[in-house]
Amino acid sequence: MDKSIVILILAVIMFITPGVVSADDLAGKRICIDPGHGGYDPGATRDGLEEEDVNLDIALKLKELLTAEGAVPILTRETDINPAHKQRWETSQNNNCDIFIAIHCNSNDKTTPSGTEVYYYPKEGTSNGDAAKSLANQVYGEVTSHLDTAGNRIGPIRYAYGTRSYWVLGADQFTGITQTPAINIELAFISNSDDRQKLASPEYQQESATAILHGLQLYYGGTPQELQAPNKPTDLIQYKSDGITGILLGDTTTENIIIMTGGVSDPGGNSVQLEVEVKPVNTEFTGTSTFLSPLVASGSTASVTYTGLSDGVYKWRARAKNSNGATGFWQDAGGNAENDPDFKVSIAQASPVTLMVSPSSGRQGTIFTFNGNGYTPNGAIEFHVRKPDNTEFPAAILTASSSGVLSYSYQSTTASPVGNLYHLGY
């Protein structure tokens, strides 16, 4: 058979196969992670181990791995709280997440049931349903392989409708919420002693997060792997445009430029750059519209120049990104509260300065000298002198003396008389 025909047939098969996602990596993918239970609801418990804690620990580890891959993980909770199911889905929708992954531990009145189960929603036969089932299959395969939790469950990959998982995965229960491909991973049985030992182990919790990452990579057409993330940046400092004058936390700058620096390092010794995000206070960080420094050697200080600031109150954060594209965790500047300002901008506004002119009038060829007192500029300024009819003399650059005296000489080119008061605009 002709080789080009074989390639064409394969391409057609990939196009029509249900649940196939176009090949891509995780970079930029917005993934909602829902650690089940929390707050007043500990979930399943046995021998002092609470499901809510296991779910959250694994979710936070998964967040770290996904962040290193350049994905945008959104958690429905990062502390011991219990959002309602609708709130969890609102978190996903408000952050434009592509898929929804709930993390749970299973339990049974008997101690013999064991192993991993994965539920998906909606039902296959639609684009979302096919994607959800594909995601469930990929994640189930990786979790059971990594954790050795194939167990004794019959039909471990299940459509969620008619089960308790539907209440977790069914966004269509709620008005105004759009359904996306969703799975609920019941990692193992907390009621089974062997499974419980794994769930309680920090090493197995890390392995669980890695397994879910690998399942996601397969789902998006990639190769299972994990990138080693660079360390959090250290010693974050903010400077004025000269790169020397520091701006204390919460202080005000009169410039529209700020320089941020931080120490960056990578466990693998890769070169690293500093990534900075600046937002007005009371505005959420998004992980987008960031500024990057040049790559520097691991263990060095990196610098980002942020321009175009307007008057306002700002906060910023930074993270390291290595030459492999892996990113670390964000570090808030200053370590202050989320909506306390890291710096304020109040750009110096020019106001007209009255100048005295000598002589007060004259004819063509007369040299006029303009003088104004009491202005201390930050370097050279451009100024415009207006005649009484509001027309301007040519603009010129003027530098004030150390005493704040402005002086400029202009030779008249017309015979028009000149009044004795002029204004400077800058």
XYZ file of all heavy atoms in Angstrom, residues 1-64:
476
model
N 0.852 -1.196 0.000
C 0.000 0.000 0.000
C 0.886 1.244 0.000
O 1.909 1.295 0.656
C -0.897 0.019 1.242
C -1.868 1.206 1.284
S -2.893 1.212 2.790
C -3.947 -0.204 2.444
N 0.460 2.243 -0.743
C 1.212 3.492 -0.801
C 1.312 4.125 0.584
O 0.331 4.195 1.318
C 0.508 4.462 -1.756
C 1.331 5.720 -1.952
O 2.180 5.724 -2.858
O 1.102 6.657 -1.184
N 2.511 4.600 0.941
C 2.758 5.152 2.272
C 1.870 6.347 2.573
O 1.378 6.514 3.687
C 4.222 5.552 2.384
C 4.618 6.027 3.781
C 6.097 6.321 3.839
C 6.504 6.777 5.232
N 7.940 7.086 5.294
N 1.618 7.202 1.583
C 0.782 8.381 1.808
C -0.645 7.992 2.130
O -1.330 8.661 2.893
C 0.814 9.296 0.585
O 0.293 8.619 -0.555
N -1.116 6.850 1.537
C -2.473 6.389 1.821
C -2.575 5.912 3.266
O -3.553 6.179 3.961
C -2.872 5.255 0.851
C -2.900 5.784 -0.582
C -4.234 4.664 1.226
C -3.171 4.713 -1.621
N -1.522 5.216 3.752
C -1.511 4.746 5.141
C -1.603 5.929 6.095
O -2.371 5.928 7.053
C -0.231 3.931 5.427
C -0.147 3.592 6.907
C -0.212 2.661 4.580
N -0.838 6.963 5.830
C -0.856 8.146 6.686
C -2.219 8.785 6.682
O -2.746 9.193 7.715
C 0.218 9.153 6.224
C 1.610 8.562 6.427
C 0.084 10.476 6.971
C 2.721 9.377 5.826
N -2.854 8.857 5.510
C -4.174 9.459 5.415
C -5.192 8.662 6.207
O -6.015 9.222 6.945
C -4.592 9.552 3.941
C -6.011 10.072 3.679
C -6.137 11.483 4.223
C -6.325 10.039 2.195
N -5.138 7.324 6.124
C -6.076 6.475 6.861
C -5.912 6.678 8.357
O -6.874 6.814 9.103
C -5.877 4.992 6.489
C -6.312 4.764 5.039
C -6.672 4.083 7.424
C -5.988 3.373 4.513
N -4.656 6.702 8.832
C -4.414 6.912 10.259
C -4.952 8.249 10.713
O -5.532 8.374 11.789
C -2.912 6.825 10.548
C -2.293 5.427 10.480
C -0.770 5.523 10.606
C -2.868 4.532 11.564
N -4.783 9.269 9.888
C -5.272 10.589 10.262
C -6.775 10.590 10.389
O -7.344 11.185 11.305
C -4.824 11.625 9.224
N -7.458 9.901 9.476
C -8.924 9.841 9.519
C -9.389 9.097 10.753
O -10.320 9.511 11.451
C -9.474 9.183 8.235
C -10.970 8.916 8.381
C -9.199 10.057 7.034
N -8.714 7.974 11.102
C -9.081 7.203 12.296
C -8.961 8.058 13.539
O -9.832 8.073 14.407
C -8.192 5.936 12.416
C -8.540 4.948 11.301
C -8.385 5.281 13.772
C -7.599 3.765 11.230
N -7.863 8.823 13.675
C -7.678 9.676 14.846
C -8.760 10.739 14.911
O -9.217 11.122 15.981
C -6.296 10.340 14.806
C -5.155 9.377 15.047
S -3.580 10.223 15.072
C -3.755 11.176 16.544
N -9.185 11.228 13.749
C -10.171 12.300 13.739
C -11.534 11.824 14.199
O -12.253 12.548 14.886
C -10.254 12.878 12.320
C -11.248 13.992 12.197
C -10.924 15.259 12.650
C -12.504 13.764 11.658
C -11.849 16.292 12.563
C -13.423 14.791 11.553
C -13.095 16.047 12.000
N -11.902 10.575 13.868
C -13.263 10.129 14.169
C -13.352 9.301 15.438
O -14.435 8.976 15.890
C -13.834 9.298 12.994
C -13.010 8.015 12.781
C -13.884 10.130 11.721
C -13.599 7.078 11.731
N -12.211 8.968 16.058
C -12.269 8.152 17.270
C -12.808 8.957 18.430
O -12.265 10.001 18.767
C -10.863 7.625 17.630
O -10.368 6.865 16.530
C -10.918 6.755 18.873
N -13.893 8.500 19.097
C -14.456 9.261 20.215
C -13.461 9.377 21.357
O -12.728 8.446 21.669
C -15.675 8.410 20.637
C -15.984 7.551 19.454
C -14.679 7.300 18.783
N -13.437 10.542 22.012
C -12.640 10.722 23.223
C -11.195 11.065 22.974
O -10.440 11.259 23.899
N -10.781 11.131 21.691
C -9.395 11.479 21.418
C -9.228 12.988 21.512
O -9.983 13.745 20.927
C -8.969 10.981 20.009
C -7.605 11.545 19.641
C -8.934 9.465 19.986
N -8.237 13.423 22.293
C -7.943 14.840 22.435
C -6.727 15.156 21.593
O -5.782 14.372 21.538
C -7.673 15.186 23.919
C -7.323 16.651 24.072
C -8.878 14.826 24.767
N -6.740 16.286 20.893
C -5.632 16.643 20.023
C -4.332 16.683 20.822
O -4.300 17.142 21.953
C -5.881 18.014 19.381
O -6.016 19.000 20.369
N -3.258 16.198 20.199
C -1.974 16.112 20.891
C -1.497 17.487 21.332
O -1.486 18.434 20.579
C -0.936 15.462 19.977
N -1.105 17.591 22.568
C -0.638 18.856 23.137
C 0.008 18.516 24.466
O -0.077 17.398 24.945
C -1.818 19.812 23.327
C -1.362 21.257 23.443
O -0.140 21.474 23.495
O -2.222 22.145 23.484
N 0.670 19.464 25.075
C 1.168 19.237 26.426
C 0.273 19.962 27.410
O -0.793 20.458 27.061
C 2.633 19.652 26.546
C 2.836 21.116 26.152
O 1.843 21.874 26.187
O 3.968 21.496 25.826
N 0.691 20.028 28.656
C -0.154 20.611 29.698
C -0.021 22.128 29.795
O -0.794 22.756 30.526
C 0.212 19.985 31.051
C -0.328 18.571 31.290
C 0.325 17.970 32.529
C -1.830 18.599 31.453
N 0.924 22.709 29.100
C 1.158 24.146 29.221
C -0.106 24.937 28.911
O -0.721 24.765 27.853
C 2.284 24.577 28.296
N -0.497 25.757 29.850
C -1.659 26.615 29.645
C -3.000 25.978 29.930
O -4.027 26.667 29.938
N -3.022 24.661 30.169
C -4.301 23.992 30.440
C -4.812 24.398 31.821
O -4.079 24.363 32.801
C -4.134 22.469 30.371
C -3.692 21.954 28.998
C -4.711 22.280 27.924
C -4.383 21.621 26.595
N -3.137 22.115 25.984
N -6.078 24.764 31.876
C -6.700 25.204 33.135
C -7.491 24.025 33.692
O -8.498 23.608 33.110
C -7.578 26.428 32.892
C -6.806 27.574 32.228
C -7.644 28.827 32.076
N -7.913 29.456 33.353
C -7.082 30.283 33.969
N -5.914 30.578 33.421
N -7.408 30.828 35.131
N -7.033 23.508 34.814
C -7.559 22.256 35.364
C -8.080 22.505 36.774
O -7.332 22.951 37.653
C -6.452 21.184 35.374
C -5.986 20.912 33.938
C -6.951 19.902 36.041
C -4.734 20.077 33.853
N -9.364 22.224 36.991
C -9.947 22.371 38.324
C -9.718 21.088 39.121
O -10.033 19.986 38.658
C -11.439 22.667 38.230
S -12.194 23.014 39.844
N -9.154 21.248 40.304
C -8.911 20.120 41.203
C -9.794 20.312 42.431
O -9.709 21.338 43.100
C -7.430 20.034 41.615
C -6.535 19.987 40.378
C -7.185 18.821 42.503
C -5.070 20.179 40.680
N -10.611 19.313 42.724
C -11.592 19.421 43.805
C -11.287 18.413 44.909
O -11.695 17.245 44.819
C -12.994 19.181 43.235
C -14.066 19.226 44.319
O -13.896 19.998 45.283
O -15.066 18.483 44.191
N -10.542 18.823 45.951
C -10.304 17.904 47.074
C -11.604 17.736 47.875
O -12.104 18.690 48.467
C -9.233 18.622 47.910
C -8.798 19.804 47.090
C -9.928 20.133 46.186
N -12.127 16.530 47.891
C -13.435 16.296 48.494
C -13.491 16.559 49.993
O -12.485 16.502 50.695
N -14.718 16.862 50.464
C -15.030 17.070 51.887
C -14.283 18.297 52.428
O -14.035 19.253 51.698
C -14.729 15.806 52.690
C -15.431 14.609 52.134
N -16.778 14.372 52.305
C -14.969 13.581 51.359
C -17.124 13.250 51.683
N -16.044 12.750 51.096
N -13.946 18.324 53.720
C -13.296 19.473 54.343
C -14.210 20.144 55.348
O -15.422 19.960 55.355
N -13.599 20.938 56.216
C -14.367 21.682 57.207
C -15.087 20.761 58.178
O -14.486 19.878 58.793
N -16.395 20.991 58.293
C -17.204 20.188 59.223
C -17.378 18.753 58.755
O -17.839 17.892 59.515
C -18.594 20.832 59.390
C -19.405 20.852 58.114
C -20.179 19.754 57.744
C -19.390 21.962 57.272
C -20.914 19.756 56.564
C -20.119 21.978 56.103
C -20.879 20.870 55.755
O -21.603 20.876 54.580
N -17.000 18.452 57.496
C -17.212 17.123 56.919
C -15.864 16.457 56.656
O -15.200 16.742 55.655
C -18.001 17.246 55.619
C -18.180 15.902 54.914
O -17.931 14.855 55.553
O -18.563 15.915 53.728
N -15.419 15.557 57.549
C -14.111 14.920 57.361
C -14.110 13.824 56.297
O -13.051 13.327 55.936
C -13.807 14.333 58.737
C -15.160 14.022 59.304
C -16.071 15.105 58.800
N -15.304 13.442 55.804
C -15.374 12.309 54.880
C -15.202 11.011 55.634
O -15.464 10.911 56.843
N -14.717 10.002 54.921
C -14.502 8.701 55.559
C -13.332 8.778 56.538
O -12.332 9.455 56.276
C -14.220 7.645 54.497
N -13.462 8.104 57.650
C -12.397 8.098 58.664
C -12.161 6.674 59.160
O -13.081 5.864 59.221
C -12.762 8.992 59.868
O -13.933 8.475 60.507
C -13.027 10.426 59.425
N -10.927 6.397 59.527
C -10.597 5.095 60.106
C -9.229 5.196 60.766
O -8.274 5.678 60.154
C -10.590 4.002 59.014
C -10.532 2.571 59.539
C -11.797 2.171 60.304
N -12.984 2.248 59.485
C -13.492 1.230 58.775
N -12.878 0.063 58.799
N -14.598 1.394 58.071
N -9.150 4.744 62.005
C -7.883 4.695 62.743
C -7.162 6.048 62.744
O -5.932 6.119 62.602
C -6.958 3.617 62.163
C -7.494 2.209 62.387
O -8.443 2.060 63.186
O -6.970 1.268 61.747
N -7.929 7.121 62.905
C -7.341 8.455 62.987
C -7.032 9.106 61.655
O -6.624 10.280 61.609
N -7.193 8.381 60.560
C -6.943 8.940 59.235
C -8.246 9.506 58.683
O -9.256 8.803 58.613
C -6.392 7.861 58.296
C -6.001 8.334 56.895
C -4.837 9.319 56.962
C -5.640 7.134 56.003
N -8.246 10.763 58.303
C -9.441 11.418 57.782
C -9.292 11.679 56.290
O -8.266 12.197 55.833
C -9.706 12.732 58.519
C -10.029 12.517 59.996
C -10.444 13.811 60.691
O -10.152 14.919 60.166
O -11.061 13.707 61.779
N -10.333 11.323 55.558
C -10.303 11.461 54.102
C -10.031 12.891 53.663
O -9.285 13.130 52.712
C -11.634 10.982 53.511
C -11.682 11.088 51.995
C -13.057 10.814 51.422
O -13.968 10.443 52.184
O -13.213 10.997 50.193
N -10.647 13.878 54.352
C -10.484 15.272 53.930
C -9.013 15.671 53.865
O -8.603 16.436 52.983
C -11.244 16.206 54.871
C -10.754 16.173 56.316
C -11.361 17.280 57.177
O -11.989 18.181 56.613
O -11.189 17.215 58.418
N -8.205 15.165 54.805
C -6.781 15.504 54.845
C -6.022 14.847 53.702
O -5.157 15.476 53.067
C -6.172 15.095 56.179
C -6.779 15.850 57.359
O -7.212 17.007 57.167
O -6.843 15.270 58.465
N -6.316 13.584 53.444
C -5.645 12.867 52.355
C -5.964 13.535 51.023
O -5.076 13.778 50.188
C -6.073 11.384 52.334
C -5.437 10.669 51.137
C -5.701 10.692 53.637
N -7.245 13.854 50.811
C -7.662 14.480 49.559
C -6.909 15.789 49.323
O -6.408 16.057 48.216
C -9.164 14.770 49.571
C -10.013 13.519 49.698
O -9.546 12.411 49.432
N -11.262 13.686 50.107
N -6.829 16.612 50.365
C -6.193 17.917 50.222
C -4.686 17.788 50.028
O -4.092 18.503 49.198
C -6.491 18.782 51.447
C -5.938 20.215 51.410
C -6.450 20.975 50.189
C -6.285 20.956 52.693
N -4.048 16.890 50.777
C -2.595 16.709 50.637
C -2.232 16.312 49.213
O -1.269 16.833 48.625
C -2.088 15.651 51.626
C -2.088 16.148 53.063
O -2.194 17.376 53.267
O -2.012 15.307 53.981
N -2.989 15.388 48.648
C -2.699 14.930 47.280
C -2.991 16.044 46.282
O -2.239 16.255 45.319
C -3.509 13.660 46.960
C -2.997 12.505 47.832
C -3.406 13.303 45.472
C -3.835 11.241 47.761
N -4.081 16.784 46.500
C -4.431 17.883 45.596
C -3.335 18.946 45.571
O -2.981 19.472 44.505
C -5.765 18.497 46.005
N -2.782 19.280 46.729
C -1.722 20.287 46.783
C -0.447 19.790 46.099
O 0.262 20.566 45.447
C -1.434 20.661 48.241
C -2.550 21.439 48.951
C -2.253 21.574 50.438
C -2.739 22.821 48.329
N -0.149 18.509 46.252
C 1.017 17.935 45.565
C 0.793 17.941 44.051
O 1.719 18.220 43.270
C 1.287 16.525 46.078
C 1.827 16.474 47.506
C 1.983 15.041 47.992
C 2.737 14.972 49.320
N 2.050 15.656 50.423
N -0.426 17.620 43.639
C -0.750 17.639 42.211
C -0.649 19.059 41.657
O -0.173 19.273 40.538
C -2.157 17.074 41.984
C -2.677 17.085 40.546
C -1.762 16.301 39.613
C -4.098 16.523 40.490
N -1.084 20.028 42.433
C -0.979 21.427 42.013
C 0.478 21.788 41.726
O 0.785 22.443 40.719
C -1.545 22.343 43.100
C -1.372 23.825 42.805
C -1.824 24.682 43.973
C -1.555 26.166 43.697
N -1.956 27.036 44.825
N 1.369 21.359 42.610
C 2.791 21.661 42.426
C 3.322 21.045 41.135
O 4.047 21.686 40.366
C 3.579 21.152 43.629
C 5.066 21.451 43.564
C 5.806 21.016 44.815
O 5.143 20.526 45.761
O 7.033 21.168 44.859
